[in-house]
Amino acid sequence: MNISTPYRVGDADPVSVFDHPEFKDHEQIVFGYDAASGLKTIIAIHDTRLGPAAGGCRMWRYDTGAAALTDALRLSRGMTYKNALAGLDLGGGKAVIIADPRTDKSEQMLEAFGVQVERLGGRYRTAEDVGISSADMEVVARKTAHALGTAQTGLGDPSPYTALGVFEGIKAAVQFRLRRDDLAGLTVSIQGLGNVGFAVARFLHETGARLIVSDINATSVAKAVEAFGARTCEPAEAHRADADVFCPCALGAGLNSLTIPEIRAGIVAGAANNQLASDTDGTRLRDAGILYAPDYAINAGGIISIALAGPGDTDALVREKTIAIGRTLTRIFERAEAERRPTQAIADTLAQERLSAAV
Ligand code: NAD
């Protein structure tokens, strides 16, 4: 082992967490390893001023440990903002496991992850995310009391609550922009008909909206045509559709310098995470006169359902908090207009204000 590598304090060190571009005042970063199961995990606790850090655990075949660290740092900070804006008494955290969920995942590895979470003594509460199912969380929960969204503590699939929040968000945006209390006769273009997108389509259909739907999965599209009398378009055309609202419910980074000039809808409001390719795109939407419902504000129904579920009937409480997403968005829209700033920037400011008040 070479311990004589010259290193001066202040040098940019490629392996130093503290010099990492995504390191933004994170409170604690834990690197966990278990030789027997092959577990390699990074748990990032970004901020616990509002309460214990909460955020999902992602299992992904990262090419490098550095890529996993980048994800853990970035996503945990995102959870701080999301939980704060959703009015939850929870901080922000995230775990990543460096493994291929299709070939590497084992009960032993999931249990070893549970041990790592338990060692943090409740400072971090974990949940499912990409590559980790609610069934996996049951295995994690064998070793820790701090696993959310299990059969004992959870309300099951968070998607219906996410969809409810998106529906309330669309109504708030329509009220603000079009001064209308109902959606009857308005057209919404939905990109992605997965667990969330399909449920949003159902809410919209029931309220009398017209739908243009798109998905790379032809079966989902056929189902929506049959169930809701929806029209269809190619997935890559969804943002260009002649609609009042564009509702992205598939992948992130769909709002960028190429797509924004082509958007015909006056409102963008959907569930997809990380919709803006960059912060500049928030300004670009505003300059184009498009009202954008910030993604982490409108899609918080899932984390609300995971965080607030507990023993007994917590469905009503979760619904109430999820419906409040509409009011939060109205506050964001009003302030963005008054301060002439992009809605995403206002969402960040509101979250920061709640965090500062907690100190
Ligand atoms: P999902 O995997 O069930 O559905 C995604 C759908 O998008 C699938 O039907 C898929 O075929 C389709 N799709 C993939 N690529 C596409 C493309 N290029 N064009 C059109 N369709 C495409 O996922 P979900 O749970 O419905 O989540 C949808 C989005 O919402 C994701 O970005 C997710 O991160 C975000 N989100 C979900 C939740 C939740 O509770 N499930 C919570 C917060 C945010």
Side-chain angles (χ1 to χ4, degrees):
M1 184 172 64
N2 177 9
I3 55 166
S4 62
T5 311
Y7 175 71
R8 288 165 308 183
V9 173
D11 276 359
D13 175 352
V15 295
S16 166
V17 171
F18 304 112
D19 292 334
H20 195 289
E22 295 292 343
F23 177 79
K24 305 265 162 59
D25 299 336
H26 289 72
E27 287 178 18
Q28 191 176 9
I29 299 147
V30 175
F31 293 78
Y33 180 64
D34 176 63
S37 65
L39 172 77
K40 287 182 194 165
T41 183
I42 304 173
I43 302 175
I45 295 177
H46 176 249
D47 193 305
T48 59
R49 277 177 287 177
L50 292 174
C57 169
R58 176 169 294 192
M59 186 181 283
W60 191 255
R61 200 180 169 285
Y62 293 99
D63 288 335
T64 61
L69 176 62
T70 300
D71 234 13
L73 293 174
R74 196 172 52 81
L75 296 170
S76 59
R77 182 164 174 263
M79 288 310 301
T80 297
Y81 280 72
K82 185 168 187 163
N83 291 340
L85 196 61
L88 297 169
D89 294 328
L90 290 170
K94 198 90 182 183
V96 298
I97 296 176
I98 305 169
D100 186 333
R102 287 168 307 170
T103 51
D104 302 331
K105 198 193 288 179
S106 66
E107 292 205 356
Q108 203 184 4
M109 183 184 279
L110 293 168
E111 286 188 357
F113 173 69
V115 169
Q116 296 285 347
V117 172
E118 186 61 20
R119 278 182 190 153
L120 291 169
R123 279 177 52 73
Y124 167 64
R125 296 185 187 166
T126 195
E128 64 185 89
D129 195 73
V130 177
I132 295 284
S133 67
S134 47
D136 295 334
M137 257 312 120
E138 304 284 339
V139 182
V140 173
R142 289 178 196 158
K143 298 291 179 184
T144 180
H146 308 293
L148 300 169
T150 61
Q152 287 76 37
T153 61
L155 286 165
D157 179 9
S159 309
Y161 297 97
T162 306
L164 174 63
V166 171
F167 176 59
E168 293 297 326
I170 291 174
K171 285 198 290 188
V174 164
Q175 218 294 322
F176 185 81
R177 172 48 58 89
L178 305 175
R179 303 286 165 211
R180 282 186 53 160
D181 290 328
D182 71 300
L183 304 179
L186 293 182
T187 303
V188 182
S189 169
I190 304 181
Q191 184 183 46
L193 293 166
N195 292 319
V196 179
F198 205 90
V200 172
R202 187 178 303 286
F203 277 125
L204 291 170
H205 173 67
E206 283 168 0
T207 193
R210 299 193 181 118
L211 300 177
I212 301 174
V213 297
S214 53
D215 196 292
I216 51 171
N217 180 338
T219 312
S220 308
V221 173
K223 270 204 224 160
V225 169
E226 161 120 32
F228 314 127
R231 284 186 286 147
T232 66
C233 72
E234 289 301 312
E237 302 283 328
H239 65 285
R240 274 186 232 150
D242 187 8
D244 301 289
V245 180
F246 171 45
C247 178
C249 292
L251 308 173
L255 304 174
N256 54 50
S257 59
L258 295 177
T259 57
I260 291 170
E262 297 180 336
I263 295 174
R264 291 164 79 180
I267 294 167
V268 175
N273 273 317
N274 304 317
Q275 291 174 36
L276 299 176
S278 74
D279 284 346
T280 327
D281 294 306
T283 310
R284 203 172 261 128
L285 282 164
R286 185 183 165 275
D287 292 348
I290 296 167
L291 183 66
Y292 170 61
D295 45 13
Y296 74 84
I298 194 171
N299 72 16
I303 185 69
I304 291 171
S305 82
I306 288 171
L308 296 185
D313 185 6
T314 42
D315 176 72
L317 170 69
V318 168
R319 279 179 177 278
E320 188 187 312
K321 205 80 174 170
T322 302
I323 287 169
I325 288 174
R327 293 195 290 280
T328 302
L329 283 168
T330 302
R331 277 169 62 210
I332 292 172
F333 298 150
E334 286 171 351
R335 191 157 161 186
E337 190 172 75
E339 296 182 13
R340 298 168 184 275
R341 290 169 65 207
T343 51
Q344 187 85 1
I346 298 294
D348 290 353
T349 301
L350 287 175
Q352 281 157 358
E353 285 173 356
R354 187 161 177 241
L355 288 161
S356 306
V359 183

